[in-house]
């Protein structure tokens, strides 16, 4: 299908040919880039994670889905649940675009247990004459049998005066004796903002005002804001669109950013003493991360491993994108640290110790399954390269160049077989403390690589689409000994 018209993108699901729908499912199942333990769509396009929560003894996670092609069209929420954050049970569609408030798409939002039900808060997208946009903030209740009933009236029927219809992605959290709703917005001057509402009952909301968290311009729109509390400190995760790179450096089309404050002043709707902005993920492919304060005391997140408005090689197979691993967040030295949750150790199979002297190119593992976890410790004052998804001659690869002497790591996508989105550059660089050893934790899964540096000080996520035979893992360099462990990883049950 070469030409996606508006009519096709917004065709009701029941009017699609079921033979075509099955062909899409089969194509994704048979793809060499079908992942083993990352969440991905059964067909079509996955984007924002939604409704990440713990309810009725299970973890619940939804994602935005357009099931009929690798494009943005008539969106729904698809539902998964889990007991261990690793193996996910397919629960089918959670929210479908089927009423006058969400007729052109169920857009992003969050979930929160309230009593014996799970509140789903989301944006309903409606298009009118001349494709004009209306945006409604909606709610639904999911019971303990996963049956969903939409709330008849919108939680917030219209953007407040002074704001455009670019008003979306509500996050509902408990706060004090009631609740807060945090939402992305654009004002009439075309500036991205975050608004905060308050409620005693999750259905009647009062605007408190704009969230004061920076004096800098956040571009033309802020998407997917999440307000969290880690060690009682407020943390805002959000996606500013069109933000100047002089405000905070980034290289992706749109960044996923983090700001940490000392405290939260609800009366003045203010994050007090905010730290400088930081990138949530310094790799190529993370956006729309959703996080929440889990009942076990952890703060957990999951992101969309993809970016808006860009193309990926699986588009030709009729599907696109996946989610990142579930990560645990913490604050250390005024930075947000993130690591895969400990539950991922349940994926480990055969363990192999790896060690050697950094010298000319050598194989860490040959003929991998491209589905593994690698921990490697690099000595201080060393320089070299780790090559993932490499061919036998090491001509094609995803390269990680390390220079612990000067405190630099560069993730380099310039030598992969299938280049992608090169207009936004082929390298991503992070700066570390000089002359210190570096610990890497790497998760490879067929067409994605997630790299965590120094127990979560940095994360770098990259989609990569290897060809046949590009299954080797090499290391080369100078100065010192490297050590580590390598595990083959099993598939998760959802895949």
């Amino acid at each position: 299908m070469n030409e996606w018209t508006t009519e096709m993108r917004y065709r009701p699901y029941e009017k699609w040919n079921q033979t075509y729908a099955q062909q899409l499912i089969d194509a994704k199942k048979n793809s060499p880039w079908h992942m083993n333990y990352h969440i991905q769509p059964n067909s079509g396009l996955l984007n924002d994670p939604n409704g990440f929560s713990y309810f009725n003894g299970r973890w619940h996670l939804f994602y935005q889905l357009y099931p009929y092609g690798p494009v943005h069209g008539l969106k729904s929420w698809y539902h998964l649940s889990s007991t261990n954050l690793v193996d996910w049970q397919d629960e089918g569609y959670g929210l479908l675009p089927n009423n006058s408030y969400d007729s052109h798409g169920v857009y992003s939002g969050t979930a929160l247990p309230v009593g014996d039900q799970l509140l789903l808060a989301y944006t309903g997208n409606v298009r009118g004459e001349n494709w004009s946009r209306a945006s409604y903030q909606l709610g639904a209740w999911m019971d303990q049998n996963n049956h969903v009933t939409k709330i008849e009236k919108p939680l917030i029927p219209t953007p407040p005066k002074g704001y455009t219809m670019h008003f979306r992605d509500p996050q509902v959290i408990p706060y004090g004796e009631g609740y807060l709703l945090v939402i992305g917005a654009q004002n009439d001057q075309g500036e991205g903002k975050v608004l905060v509402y308050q409620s005693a009952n999750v259905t009647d909301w009062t605007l408190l005002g704009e969230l004061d968290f920076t004096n800098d311009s956040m571009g033309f729109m802020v998407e997917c804001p999440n307000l969290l509390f880690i060690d009682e400190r407020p943390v805002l995760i959000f996606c500013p669109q069109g933000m100047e790179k002089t405000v905070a450096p980034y290289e992706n089309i749109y960044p996923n950013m983090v700001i940490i404050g000392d405290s939260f002043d609800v009366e003045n709707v203010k994050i007090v003493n905010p730290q400088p902005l930081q990138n949530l993920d310094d790799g190529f492919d993370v956006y729309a991360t959703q996080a929440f304060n889990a009942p076990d005391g952890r703060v957990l997140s999951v992101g969309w491993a993809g970016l808006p408005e860009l193309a990926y090689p699986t588009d030709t197979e009729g599907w696109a994108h996946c989610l990142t691993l579930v990560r645990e967040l913490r604050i250390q030295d005024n930075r947000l640290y993130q690591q895969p949750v400990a539950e991922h150790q349940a994926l480990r199979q055969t363990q192999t110790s790896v060690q050697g002297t950094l010298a000319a190119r050598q194989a860490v593992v040959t003929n991998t399954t491209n589905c593994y976890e690698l921990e490697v410790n690099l000595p201080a004052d060393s320089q070299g390269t780790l090559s993932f998804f490499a061919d036998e001659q090491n001509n094609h690869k995803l390269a990680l160049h390390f220079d612990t002497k000067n405190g630099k790591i560069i993730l380099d996508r310039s030598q992969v077989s299938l280049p992608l989105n090169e207009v936004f550059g082929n390298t991503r660089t992070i700066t570390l403390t000089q002359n210190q050893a570096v610990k890497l934790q790497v998760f490879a899964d067929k067409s994605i690589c997630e790299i965590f540096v120094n127990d979560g000080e940095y994360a770098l996520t990259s989609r990569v689409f290897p060809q046949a035979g590009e299954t080797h893992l090499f290391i080369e360099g100078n100065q010192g000994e490297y050590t580590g462990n390598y595990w083959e990883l099993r598939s998760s049950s959802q895949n």
Side-chain angles (χ1 to χ4, degrees):
M1 211 172 273
N2 298 320
E3 187 72 27
W4 280 91
T5 64
T6 299
E7 182 278 327
M8 289 168 59
R9 290 172 187 257
Y10 290 89
R11 180 182 298 165
Y13 288 8
E14 64 271 14
K15 293 188 177 180
W16 280 94
N17 180 283
Q18 290 308 299
T19 300
Y20 166 73
Q22 187 60 50
Q23 288 172 346
L24 285 180
I25 292 171
D26 293 342
K28 181 261 176 180
K29 281 183 178 178
N30 295 325
S31 170
W33 301 313
H34 174 144
M35 288 150 279
N36 282 11
Y37 58 91
H38 282 75
I39 291 170
Q40 60 211 297
N42 294 323
S43 66
L45 182 142
L46 165 157
N47 58 311
D48 302 5
N50 295 150
F52 193 17
S53 54
Y54 187 81
F55 169 69
N56 195 31
R58 297 182 70 86
W59 302 100
H60 293 267
L61 180 58
F62 303 78
Y63 57 80
Q64 267 195 295
L65 174 69
Y66 178 65
Y68 294 106
V71 297
H72 293 276
L74 186 61
K75 296 291 182 67
S76 58
W77 278 21
Y78 205 79
H79 182 196
L80 305 172
S81 73
S82 175
T83 59
N84 65 0
L85 295 170
V86 172
D87 297 294
W88 294 91
Q89 180 172 307
D90 189 327
E91 303 287 357
Y93 288 98
L95 287 169
L96 287 164
N98 57 12
N99 69 28
S100 60
Y101 293 116
D102 59 21
S103 59
H104 288 73
V106 174
Y107 280 15
S108 289
T110 53
L112 180 71
V114 179
D116 61 355
Q117 298 185 95
L118 186 68
L119 174 72
L120 309 179
Y122 68 100
T123 297
N125 181 48
V126 175
R127 296 288 189 163
E129 292 183 10
N130 301 318
W131 209 239
S132 60
R133 180 195 299 270
S135 179
Y136 300 97
Q137 309 318 311
L138 306 175
W141 292 108
M142 188 178 84
D143 66 19
Q144 295 184 2
N145 296 315
N146 292 346
H147 178 73
V148 175
T149 303
K150 292 182 179 179
I151 298 171
E152 289 187 6
K153 293 182 179 180
L155 306 181
I156 303 174
T158 185
K161 186 177 180 181
Y163 297 86
T164 73
M165 284 294 172
H166 289 286
F167 179 62
R168 56 183 175 267
D169 311 334
Q171 181 211 22
V172 178
I173 60 172
Y175 190 82
E177 298 299 314
Y179 304 89
L180 297 179
L181 184 151
V182 181
I183 189 166
Q186 180 190 73
N187 67 18
D188 286 345
Q189 289 72 48
E191 299 168 326
K193 301 292 181 180
V194 176
L195 302 185
V196 180
Y197 288 74
Q198 191 170 40
S199 174
N201 58 12
V202 304
T203 53
D204 300 301
W205 294 93
T206 300
L207 177 64
L208 294 181
E210 286 183 5
L211 180 62
D212 180 0
F213 64 96
T214 179
N215 292 322
D216 293 311
S217 169
M218 292 293 101
F220 61 81
M221 179 62 191
V222 173
E223 292 193 315
C224 305
N226 278 218
L227 179 62
L228 314 159
F229 292 89
I230 303 178
D231 301 330
E232 299 184 352
R233 298 180 65 181
V235 176
L236 184 70
I237 294 175
F238 64 104
C239 297
Q241 295 188 324
M243 183 181 75
E244 293 291 338
K245 295 181 181 180
T246 53
V247 173
Y250 67 94
E251 295 178 86
N252 295 342
I253 181 173
Y254 302 125
N256 209 155
M257 305 300 291
V258 178
I259 200 161
I260 301 170
D262 286 347
S263 60
F264 180 62
D265 180 353
V266 69
E267 290 186 2
N268 294 299
V269 202
K270 180 181 177 66
I271 291 178
V272 178
N273 191 27
Q275 298 296 311
L277 284 168
Q278 69 177 87
N279 278 296
L280 180 74
D281 189 294
D282 286 275
F284 294 92
D285 296 291
V286 166
Y287 193 76
T289 294
Q290 182 161 114
F292 78 109
N293 286 87
D296 61 9
R298 293 184 294 180
V299 179
L300 303 180
S301 77
V302 64
W304 170 26
L307 287 166
E309 303 171 27
L310 301 182
Y312 288 80
T314 58
D315 292 354
T316 61
E317 299 177 339
W319 68 282
H321 309 310
C322 66
L323 299 183
T324 68
L325 299 177
V326 177
R327 303 175 181 182
E328 181 177 356
L329 310 181
R330 71 182 195 279
I331 296 174
Q332 182 176 322
D333 301 325
N334 280 326
R335 282 190 60 83
L336 187 74
Y337 276 58
Q338 52 193 321
Q339 285 182 281
V341 292
E343 286 90 336
H344 285 108
Q345 294 178 18
L347 294 171
R348 291 174 177 174
Q349 304 283 273
T350 307
Q351 177 180 350
T352 305
S353 295
V354 296
Q355 58 185 353
T357 301
L358 287 170
R361 175 166 60 92
Q362 55 194 286
V364 180
V365 181
T366 57
N367 295 315
T368 76
T369 59
N370 280 347
C371 181
Y372 57 81
E373 177 187 352
L374 172 71
E375 286 185 353
V376 62
N377 301 294
L378 303 169
D381 300 327
S382 65
Q383 297 171 321
T385 300
L386 273 160
S387 300
F388 310 103
F389 304 102
D391 63 12
E392 191 171 3
Q393 292 76 34
N394 204 32
N395 293 325
H396 296 292
K397 61 197 171 189
L398 175 69
L400 186 139
H401 309 295
F402 57 89
D403 180 350
T404 61
K405 180 179 180 179
N406 295 298
K408 293 285 185 185
I409 284 182
I410 300 171
L411 185 62
D412 182 354
R413 206 160 62 175
S414 66
Q415 293 174 280
V416 297
S417 289
L418 291 178
L420 62 158
N421 303 318
E422 291 185 291
V423 68
F424 296 101
N426 286 317
T427 61
R428 298 290 185 266
T429 302
I430 59 174
T431 301
L432 304 170
T433 303
Q434 296 181 3
N435 299 308
Q436 286 197 3
V438 169
K439 178 182 178 182
L440 301 176
Q441 185 179 23
V442 180
F443 287 83
D445 189 8
K446 300 297 186 180
S447 60
I448 188 172
C449 189
E450 296 187 59
I451 301 170
F452 301 88
V453 181
N454 290 341
D455 296 318
E457 181 182 2
Y458 290 91
L460 301 105
T461 299
S462 179
R463 297 300 308 277
V464 57
F465 299 88
Q467 301 293 285
E470 295 176 358
T471 59
H472 303 287
L473 173 55
F474 295 118
I475 193 168
E476 59 188 289
N478 57 53
Q479 296 294 332
E481 306 284 323
Y482 70 90
T483 62
N485 289 289
Y486 171 93
W487 293 269
E488 297 286 348
L489 299 183
R490 68 168 173 84
S491 295
S492 63
S493 61
Q494 190 253 344
N495 296 306

